[in-house]
Amino acid sequence: MSWGFLRHLLSGVNKYSTGIGRIWVAVVFIFRLLVYVVAAENIWKYEHDEFECNIQQPGCENVCFDHFFPVSHIRLWALQLIVVSTPSLLVVFHVAYRENREKRHNQKLYKSPREIDGGLLCTYLISLILKTGFEIVFLVLFYKLYNGFKVPHLVKCDVRPCPNTVDCYISKPTEKMIFLYFLVATSCLCVVLNLSELSYLIFK
Amino acid sequence: MGDWSFLGEFLEEVHKHSTVVGKVWLTVLFIFRMLVLGTAAESSWGDEQSDFMCDTQQPGCENVCYDKAFPISHVRFWVLQIIFVSTPSLVYMGHAMHTVRMEEKRKMKEAEIEAREMKSSGDTYYQQKCPVAEKAELSCWDESGGKIILRGSLLNTYVYSILIRTAMEVAFIVGQYILYGIFLETLYICQRAPCPHPVNCYVSRPTEKNVFIVFMLAVAVLSLFLSLAELYHLGWKKAKERCSRSYKPSPSTAPGRLESAPQVERAQMYTPPPDFNQCLSSPNGKFISSFSNKTASQQNTANFATERVHSQEDATGEGPFIKSSYVESPEVANECAAPAF
């Protein structure tokens, strides 16, 4: 899975960010993207194959897995990374639009390209608010879907065609839980960074 | 294979601003940890659960036994170890970049203010010469953006980063020992519901895994040793500087004495760079006398700023810990030359 595009996008935004924005990019790259690519993907790689139910009834394992994992942790994690990085596109578009206008009119429309001013500041603030919002939405989604970031080693399933309440065993639950907590911690850190950047820009 | 380039790019920058020992540490990190982990260790642990066999037909028993035997897999543990051990260096890098940026901004502002003042003062000769000097001053700083001098608060950040790195290294080594001991056993006896009785479980590729475990442990100990060596190196240099400082009188105490100061000022981050001084101390005596008061007061301001920031350290003639920041322009090659490592 190629994350190069996202990396390119976030690196581009770095030029127009404040110091806290740069820290946010570093946190996203290292503690979220890198951990996802290098560690987390492999943990959840064979989650369906390794999901085992104490029953011979064909189809029971499939429906039980589907019941307990409507969207797998790892897919939700990937979606979160993509959605949370997307508001930075707004900043990139605005800068591109501005440069386009400068080229067309053949003059500098703003004081200096490095300073965040007026319209660009507004766009940047909106992107910050959106980023924070999406983070919180995904954290709440994780919480609701999986009952509070816990991964049990045993779940009881009585979905048809399972003939009775069946014991199903999840693979690597402890490791998954460790990395889920890691995800939550880094998300919260990113929320804190976004909020502090927001307050810094507003009260500057 | 994991893609470590996300971290690699950040660490490349750190590589430029490190001491010699720091560079060795980073090389060890890149080659012996990241590369080995990404290429060899990952494939060795690839089938760790699928080939984890328990002597039972009870469904679910293998899953729970594997989970009990390996709460976190070795490779994931090492990934977290590499990330947490690298993070303090990134914090130092952030501080260094921030310092460079602040310094650039300050110099630009100074240059702007001077240009405005000179324009209003009406000194035509200066107007001819000084923009060149200012440009040279700016370009000297910009060119040197690749190197930073380790002084004052930046040195403190560097030392703290090494200390935290050492602490992380120790924590992870101890953590690995607590979780798994040193070697992996072939047989793991598991007693956990729903296994009906104590069950024999067999780990896949234990010898190969042991080889990698020992290798990674050795590299971690080597990194720890390098970090401690770097701390000792920094501490020793600091003590040596303090001794030589208390022994010799400092040459930098006289304000306005610009010709003798370049070597000293080279070592300070908040004073005018030597290039600018060289412009002043050119053969044209007229040049110096026309605004020597201004530059003297500038020197005073700079000295006060330096004293405020570097509360404990004074400038010395000793070379800085890493390469000096100023790249020479042709006329001032000797003065601006940095002591090379």
Side-chain angles (χ1 to χ4, degrees):
Chain A
M1 196 167 173
S2 168
W3 290 91
F5 178 72
L6 194 68
R7 196 162 105 197
H8 187 71
L9 162 70
L10 288 179
S11 306
V13 174
N14 226 4
K15 275 188 284 178
Y16 301 95
S17 302
T18 61
I20 304 177
R22 290 189 178 96
I23 297 174
W24 179 85
V25 170
V27 166
V28 167
F29 271 174
I30 294 165
F31 289 100
R32 299 176 83 175
L33 214 48
L34 180 68
V35 168
Y36 174 90
V37 167
V38 173
E41 262 189 328
N42 294 328
I43 300 174
W44 272 270
K45 204 167 176 185
Y46 300 113
E47 55 172 338
H48 198 156
D49 293 336
E50 291 163 356
F51 182 79
E52 208 173 355
C53 289
N54 190 5
I55 188 104
Q56 293 276 12
Q57 170 65 45
C60 181
E61 259 182 33
N62 273 7
V63 297
C64 287
F65 183 84
D66 186 59
H67 176 76
F68 287 103
F69 300 109
V71 180
S72 167
H73 299 99
I74 199 74
R75 250 73 66 187
L76 214 51
W77 189 336
L79 274 174
Q80 183 184 20
L81 277 174
I82 294 168
V83 167
V84 153
S85 308
T86 313
S88 305
L89 269 176
L90 288 173
V91 176
V92 171
F93 286 155
H94 191 142
V95 166
Y97 165 73
R98 204 165 87 169
E99 279 172 359
N100 206 9
R101 267 177 69 186
E102 279 177 11
K103 242 185 259 175
R104 246 189 295 139
H105 296 259
N106 216 19
Q107 59 174 333
K108 277 225 163 92
L109 295 172
Y110 295 96
K111 268 187 295 177
S112 142
R114 290 251 157 181
E115 284 172 16
I116 306 176
D117 59 346
L120 190 58
L121 178 64
C122 202
T123 309
Y124 196 75
L125 287 173
I126 291 172
S127 79
L128 277 178
I129 293 168
L130 282 175
K131 270 192 269 193
T132 314
F134 287 141
E135 290 276 16
I136 294 171
V137 161
F138 270 92
L139 281 175
V140 169
L141 201 60
F142 260 109
Y143 190 85
K144 290 282 180 200
L145 270 176
Y146 299 113
N147 287 330
F149 313 119
K150 278 203 269 292
V151 184
H153 72 276
L154 162 71
V155 288
K156 297 213 184 268
C157 171
D158 59 359
V159 183
R160 284 188 58 200
C162 304
N164 48 271
T165 307
V166 169
D167 289 342
C168 290
Y169 300 93
I170 297 170
S171 72
K172 305 192 180 122
T174 313
E175 203 166 0
K176 286 177 181 170
M177 202 163 63
I178 291 172
F179 279 87
L180 260 186
Y181 280 127
F182 193 82
L183 182 157
V184 170
T186 49
S187 285
C188 292
L189 174 65
C190 285
V191 167
V192 164
L193 284 172
N194 284 334
L195 289 174
S196 48
E197 196 178 2
L198 205 60
S199 51
Y200 168 73
L201 284 172
I202 290 174
F203 296 120
K204 199 168 71 164
Chain B
M1 182 192 143
D3 184 8
W4 283 95
S5 55
F6 293 117
L7 186 58
E9 282 167 11
F10 283 100
L11 291 177
E12 288 284 346
E13 275 300 310
V14 180
H15 202 260
K16 288 186 216 162
H17 303 288
S18 300
T19 62
V20 175
V21 184
K23 285 183 170 71
V24 173
W25 181 86
L26 276 167
T27 310
V28 165
L29 184 79
F30 277 142
I31 295 173
F32 293 108
R33 292 174 111 168
M34 287 184 186
L35 190 62
V36 167
L37 194 65
T39 53
E42 287 259 12
S43 46
S44 182
W45 266 263
D47 55 2
E48 52 176 335
Q49 183 162 3
S50 53
D51 284 351
F52 183 81
M53 294 291 174
C54 288
D55 189 6
T56 184
Q57 292 277 10
Q58 171 64 45
C61 182
E62 261 178 30
N63 269 3
V64 298
C65 285
Y66 179 83
D67 183 57
K68 192 172 176 198
F70 302 110
I72 179 168
S73 166
H74 285 89
V75 281
R76 258 78 69 179
F77 185 83
W78 290 328
V79 163
L80 288 178
Q81 182 178 15
I82 290 173
I83 290 174
F84 279 100
V85 151
S86 309
T87 305
S89 304
L90 297 171
V91 171
Y92 158 70
M93 189 64 231
H95 187 182
M97 293 273 105
H98 177 76
T99 309
V100 167
R101 225 173 285 123
M102 289 291 117
E103 188 59 19
E104 275 175 359
K105 271 190 189 165
R106 192 192 66 86
K107 287 206 187 307
M108 273 175 144
K109 277 197 187 133
E110 255 182 29
E112 275 176 23
I113 291 169
E114 274 180 25
R116 254 183 264 129
E117 280 178 352
M118 291 311 134
K119 273 187 189 150
S120 60
S121 77
D123 189 331
T124 54
Y125 191 67
Y126 180 74
Q127 276 173 358
Q128 281 170 24
K129 278 283 183 185
C130 210
V132 174
E134 285 172 337
K135 255 190 209 161
E137 174 192 332
L138 283 174
S139 67
C140 197
W141 180 255
D142 283 336
E143 262 190 302
S144 69
K147 306 285 175 209
I148 290 172
I149 294 184
L150 221 48
R151 290 272 176 212
S153 63
L154 199 61
L155 174 62
N156 287 340
T157 309
Y158 193 68
V159 170
Y160 289 144
S161 77
I162 299 177
L163 282 170
I164 295 172
R165 188 171 91 193
T166 312
M168 288 283 176
E169 202 78 77
V170 169
F172 273 92
I173 291 173
V174 168
Q176 186 174 336
Y177 181 76
I178 290 171
L179 273 175
Y180 300 114
I182 298 178
F183 293 107
L184 215 54
E185 300 292 321
T186 313
L187 171 68
Y188 176 77
I189 296 172
C190 166
Q191 184 161 22
R192 192 184 186 190
C195 305
H197 49 74
V199 167
N200 290 344
C201 291
Y202 301 92
V203 175
S204 82
R205 307 177 203 245
T207 311
E208 193 174 340
K209 286 181 176 158
N210 278 331
V211 168
F212 278 108
I213 287 169
V214 168
F215 180 84
M216 294 300 276
L217 211 53
V219 171
V221 167
L222 172 65
S223 295
L224 182 64
F225 170 72
L226 285 170
S227 299
L228 292 171
E230 199 170 3
L231 274 175
Y232 169 75
H233 178 71
L234 288 170
W236 181 72
K237 275 230 163 187
K238 214 172 175 175
K240 197 175 151 196
E241 274 181 18
R242 282 232 174 101
C243 282
S244 62
R245 218 185 321 123
S246 60
Y247 214 60
K248 295 176 199 163
S250 165
S252 66
T253 45
R257 280 185 57 205
L258 301 167
E259 295 86 17
S260 63
Q263 217 192 5
V264 161
E265 288 172 341
R266 180 159 41 92
Q268 289 194 31
M269 293 173 68
Y270 297 102
T271 52
D275 193 48
F276 184 63
N277 294 329
Q278 281 299 316
C279 280
L280 302 176
S281 60
S282 66
N284 267 320
K286 204 199 296 182
F287 199 54
I288 297 171
S289 60
S290 57
F291 55 87
S292 59
N293 288 331
K294 223 162 247 162
T295 49
S297 69
Q298 218 178 47
Q299 180 65 41
N300 275 332
T301 324
N303 280 342
F304 288 141
T306 312
E307 278 167 6
R308 246 201 329 269
V309 173
H310 307 294
S311 52
Q312 287 175 15
E313 291 201 52
D314 295 332
T316 61
E318 292 278 307
F321 297 119
I322 54 175
K323 254 189 180 172
S324 165
S325 65
Y326 300 113
V327 174
E328 62 274 22
S329 56
E331 311 89 64
V332 295
N334 292 330
E335 293 303 323
C336 275
F341 266 105

